[in-house]
Amino acid sequence: MAALTVPYTKHMSLPVGSFLKIKGTPTMSFSKNPQLQVDFHTEHKDDSDIAFHFRVYFNSCVVMNSRQCGNWKEEVKTSVMPFKDGQPFELGILVLPKEYQIIVNGCQSYTFPHRIDPKFVKMIQVWRDVTLTSVNIA
Ligand code: GAL
């Protein structure tokens, strides 16, 4: 399957009940510290508020946050690392009424309580050191 262009930007809404599924592969070995970033923006602009920021430092940790009025808010950092070196991943983000649930390769791995109502999300971006085979919403 042809790879999607990275950074991948798509105008979409993510109402409660939707499930975003991202399939990709890190472009380098974890020892080189590749990253993956997923951002849920509230406008069709890179500098808009980010309801959910999910940044994976494959070699060490995952950071989640929101960005409001240009400012990063309280960072949530975890060393839970279900991603596997040299292997494709399937990242699912389920929008629940109170939180996002993040599922990696079928394992529920993280949660992030809503700080901005998910009804305001208008654009998603997926980028950094990954190739992407698909980004789907169900
Ligand atoms: C910063 C980083 C941002 C974002 C933020 C999350 O250090 O530059 O891209 O990841 O942390 O708290």
Side-chain angles (χ1 to χ4, degrees):
M1 205 192 298
L4 301 173
T5 304
V6 176
Y8 175 86
T9 303
K10 178 101 179 160
H11 293 186
M12 63 164 76
S13 55
L14 284 170
V16 168
S18 49
F19 184 62
L20 180 72
K21 202 196 263 186
I22 299 165
K23 291 188 189 181
T25 309
T27 53
M28 11 173 186
S29 138
F30 284 9
S31 62
K32 294 187 170 159
N33 202 23
Q35 295 177 38
L36 161 66
Q37 186 167 328
V38 179
D39 295 310
F40 292 174
H41 284 268
T42 60
E43 300 293 341
H44 300 149
K45 288 190 297 189
D46 288 354
D47 63 355
S48 63
D49 284 359
I50 298 177
F52 181 49
H53 165 82
F54 181 77
R55 187 164 179 176
V56 181
Y57 297 82
F58 288 104
N59 204 23
S60 55
C61 65
V62 166
V63 166
M64 293 176 284
N65 207 343
S66 58
R67 190 180 68 191
Q68 289 156 256
C69 303
N71 299 312
W72 291 105
K73 298 298 176 177
E74 191 186 341
E75 187 174 274
V76 178
K77 194 173 183 176
T78 157
S79 57
V80 171
M81 186 51 65
F83 296 92
K84 298 264 185 288
D85 199 359
Q87 290 187 23
F89 58 81
E90 203 175 284
L91 170 65
I93 303 176
L94 177 63
V95 188
L96 292 180
K98 293 202 159 23
E99 65 191 16
Y100 294 110
Q101 260 188 32
I102 300 92
I103 299 135
V104 180
N105 302 329
C107 283
Q108 209 277 291
S109 304
Y110 317 96
T111 57
F112 186 81
H114 296 309
R115 297 173 180 176
I116 295 176
D117 192 317
K119 74 179 181 202
F120 294 120
V121 172
K122 291 203 183 80
M123 175 179 88
I124 70 151
Q125 282 188 325
V126 185
W127 56 299
R128 296 203 187 271
D129 313 302
V130 293
T131 54
L132 291 175
T133 49
S134 64
V135 178
N136 290 315
I137 183 156

